[in-house]
Amino acid sequence: MRENTSYWVLIMATTSALFPALGAGDTVLAVICSSIGVWLFFYLIMRGVKEAAIINRIATFAKIVPILVFILVALIAFKADVFTGNFWGGDGNYSWTSLFEQAKGTMLITVFVFLGIEGASVYSRFARKREDVGRATVIGFLSVLASSCSSHCPPTG
């Protein structure tokens, strides 16, 4: 229940950009709207799977619309001079190595976060002990961080 409450506070705080009366998600109106939302979800869950499928379609639509709006705004607001000025890293070092280092650092983190965690969760059911899953996740994260930091961090000592 606490998770639902925190989600609804976040939803109300975000929606306050359109409706200022919702404040930071802590106004009386925001609490009333959040309560209605929680009870609506409860009602839908109690009704069964058919209604949940409808909500899933609505949620998918609600995810796709902001992505499309972002793409549209990015295309309209795109400034080629700013993009090209920072394409090589913004440090005056105009080389493919600089560009490659940027891409490598980004991809290391992206691959670990999105693919590593998902892959680990699939195989975590085969772990003998649950604490091994957490330990493997931390070791994996630290090893990716160390490999990324080895090329970007200044030497110590």
Side-chain angles (χ1 to χ4, degrees):
M1 186 65 167
R2 285 180 292 177
E3 294 84 11
N4 289 336
T5 304
S6 63
Y7 292 146
W8 279 102
V9 169
L10 180 62
I11 290 168
M12 292 299 122
T14 303
T15 311
S16 71
L18 299 173
F19 306 104
L22 296 173
D26 58 356
T27 63
V28 173
L29 180 61
V31 171
I32 291 170
C33 292
S34 298
S35 297
I36 291 170
V38 168
W39 282 107
L40 281 173
F41 279 137
F42 172 76
Y43 174 72
L44 288 172
I45 291 168
M46 295 305 293
R47 294 273 321 240
V49 175
K50 185 177 177 183
E51 282 78 10
I54 293 168
I55 294 300
N56 195 20
R57 281 192 211 111
I58 292 169
T60 300
F61 181 75
K63 292 174 193 174
I64 292 172
V65 169
I67 292 171
L68 294 176
V69 169
F70 170 77
I71 291 170
L72 181 66
V73 169
L75 288 173
I76 293 170
F78 183 76
K79 295 180 181 168
D81 57 331
V82 174
F83 179 77
T84 55
N86 290 296
F87 184 76
W88 297 102
D91 59 359
N93 180 12
Y94 300 107
S95 70
W96 286 105
T97 306
S98 173
L99 185 62
F100 178 74
E101 288 298 319
Q102 288 181 63
K104 183 180 100 175
T106 302
M107 291 308 296
L108 278 172
I109 297 300
T110 303
V111 166
F112 179 76
V113 170
F114 291 107
L115 299 179
I117 297 294
E118 290 297 322
S121 67
V122 169
Y123 290 106
S124 67
R125 68 175 185 242
F126 298 116
R128 287 187 207 119
K129 294 183 279 184
R130 278 288 173 218
E131 56 263 13
D132 289 344
V133 175
R135 189 175 302 121
T137 303
V138 171
I139 291 170
F141 175 75
L142 292 176
S143 62
V144 169
L145 184 64
S147 69
S148 176
C149 191
S150 65
S151 61
H152 298 290
C153 296
T156 58

